[in-house]
Every structure is written in structure tokens, then in C-alpha cells.
Amino acid sequence: MRGWPAAPARLVPRGELPQQPVPPRIKVLHVITRFWAGAGGNTLLSATGMDPAVYEVWVAGVPGGDLWERARTAGVHTVEVPRFREVLTPADVLVLWRLVRLIRCERFTIVHTHSAKGGFLGRLAAHLCHTPVVVHTFHGLSFHAQMPRWRRVSYRILERATRRFTHAFLAVAPLLAAEAVAQRLAPPGRVRVVPSAVDLDHIPHGFDPAARRELGVPADVALIGTVGRVDRQKAPLDFVRMAAAVHAAHPRTAFVIVGDGPLADDVRRLAAELGVEVRLTGYRPDADRLVAGLDIFVSTSLYEGLGRALTEALATARPVVATAVNGVPDLVEPGATGLLGAPADPEGMARAVGWLLDHPDEAAGMGRQASARVRTAFAPAAMCAAIDECYRQLLGLPPTP
């Protein structure tokens, strides 16, 4: 006999039986640094998508962002940890103490961590509290070539130090899983790939004329855009340089960045210098809907675990051009689901965008194939089922019927 036998069919509905004891739920604490953007959205779907009859889910992380209220509304217990920050600070000792106090008080069965700071502090706190099961998800690597060497080395050391406290590792893409093993952040054979889901119920299946009108661009002008925080990781200045090169060869084009961030003014200045108009919408909570108004989606990120906005663009069947970083090539396969370019190479990205503009039928076909793939493999139910399977295996529980 392999595993525990399945339960026979229920002969009498539960409502017709005498009151029966309610099985205790499994308490899960997600610890994440930034509870917003890509990893935050993924964690929210993980927290809200688990069976509430089986799991009692909590989330703890850096205060701020619009996902906290959404989590509370969905019935998730939330803890915005005071003085928790994205970068390493002396206050991290206090944050660690608060996490230890929370874990000891609530006696979680599973601590599931995300991102660099959340992963280090959460796993260390779980270890100090002798938490039975500790899981870590790689949404991306915490260190990259664009950061100062001392910080890159520090983050690598911290992530390696906590791998022995971890019972299972998840990664949002195959190449990211391989990179985590190569960097010795996880032992070989211990990382399982769980695609990062997107909320497909709110994403159009294809081009949305209403979104296009809201972006204020005529139907006969090709609209090329991106979605994301306007910061160093997303390389928005490379997007502007790409836009200038594309506009020089294809004048009937317009460009938009849906998002806001510290480099917004730099984007405006560079666009004026290069003589190309790039509209910045600012932060939009409906960015996943607006992306359906684009003709081509472009991601110029210097590093990216997978790219939530990129996945959402593919779900709307948008032709895409993205930098070949981290797990992105697992999602964007040249000639099948889009085109790739090298990071920090706006001229190369412009050539790829120009090719899609010159080959609209092939571009549309890639978009359709990408949408079909994303809507099958990146549904929240599929992600939550994989996480549930991981939890059950670690706890020795039978699979979900």
C-alpha cells in the first residue's frame, strides 16, 4: 500500500449528523519583506487561496502598501512589523525579536518566508522557536551585479546561512531554481518549481479598446509600454532610450510607463533630451487591466525573478519583449511566446520591438500562445495546490482528495 488510503464516500451529510469535533487547522505564517508588487501579490494569492477549513494563514512584513487591507478583507491575519525595512539596519535585531515573540505566542506549524530580508529574519526566528516546518520561496535572488560588492556578498552569506534552517525550497521559475542551487542558497534536489500565479479573473483575455482609450492614444498609433515601479531594477531609462530608437524608425508609435517611483523625474528629463514623448501614468491599482491596451509590452529589468507584470501582459495575449534575466527566459521563449533582449542594451531591445511592429501576424500568434500557456499553468488554484502538496508532504499528511 502506498500512502494513506482515501476515505470512503460520505453516507450521511455532515449537517444531518450529531455535532462533530472540528479538526484543528494548520497555522501558517508568511514572512515577507515588501508586501506589495510582484512577490507581495504572489504571497497574497498564496495566503487567500488555501483551504480555510485546513489552514489558518497569517502574513507579517514591512508596513505599507495596498495589499494589507486586501488580505484583512479576505480573512488573513496580518502583522505589519514596526521598524521592518527593506535594507539591513541595526533595527533588524528588534524586528527579529518581534517575529520570535509572534511565532512563540501563536505556535505556528509552518513558517513560509519570501524575499531576502523576510527570508533571513523569518527563517532565523522560526529556527529559534523550533518551528516544525520552514519553507522558503525564491521570487528572485537578493543579490545581483548592479549592487555594491559588499552588499552582494553580505546578502549571499545571509541567505546561505539560513538554508540549513529550511525544510523545503520553492522557486517561481526553473532557471531561478537552478541559479539558487548554483549559488548554494539551496541544496541540490531540494527546490521545486511552483509558477507564480496571477489573478486571472481580473485580466482581459486580449486587447481592450476601453483600456486603450483610457491611456489616451489613437487606435492607429502603436502603443508600446511597460508596467512597474520606476526604479533602478526596472531600468526605466533604458526604456526611454529604447523608445527613442523605436520612434526614429517607426514614427507612428507612442510610449507609456504605468507606475511611479524614484526615477520618474529622470525619465521625464531623459525623454525631453532625446526628443521622445514617454507618458508616465503614476501608480495605478488597475495596471493589470491597462496593460491590455498596449500593442507591445516591454520589460527592461536588470534583474527579475519572473516578472508579475510580464506574466499579466502575456495573459492578455500582448506581444512582449523582455530582458533575458533570471527566470524570464522560462516564460518568454523566442519565436514562441515573445522575444528577448540583453539587459542594459536598449538598442537591441529596440530592434526586437521593431521586428514585432514589422511582423504583426507573427507577433499576434506569439501573444495568443503565451496567453494560453499562462492561463493554464499560472492560475492561482494550480499554485495553491502545489503549495498545499508541499506542506502536506512535509507534515506527513495524505494528499488533498
Side-chain angles (χ1 to χ4, degrees), residues 30 32 34-47 67 112 114-115 137-140 170-177 192-200 203 234 304-315 327-328 330-331 370-371 373-387:
H30 290 272
I32 184 169
R34 299 188 305 171
F35 193 42
W36 60 84
N42 171 273
T43 302
L44 178 63
L45 290 175
S46 302
L67 297 185
H112 189 159
H114 311 261
S115 59
T137 293
F138 294 107
H139 298 273
L170 309 180
V172 299
L175 286 175
L176 184 59
R192 67 177 73 188
V193 176
V194 178
S196 180
V198 292
D199 190 357
L200 297 171
I203 299 176
K234 306 298 182 181
E304 194 78 68
L306 193 62
R308 187 174 192 79
L310 175 61
T311 308
E312 291 172 346
L314 292 171
V328 172
D330 288 317
L331 190 59
S371 178
R373 184 188 195 193
V374 166
R375 290 184 175 274
T376 301
F378 292 79
M383 178 184 72
C384 290
I387 294 173

Side-chain angles (χ1 to χ4, degrees), residues 224 237-251 253 255 274-278 345-354 357:
I224 300 156
L237 301 184
D238 284 345
F239 181 89
V240 176
R241 296 183 183 101
M242 176 278 301
V246 170
H247 193 261
H250 298 81
T253 49
F255 304 89
L274 298 179
V276 61
E277 182 179 356
V278 177
D345 180 16
E347 292 293 332
M349 297 290 284
R351 287 192 294 272
V353 171
L357 290 171

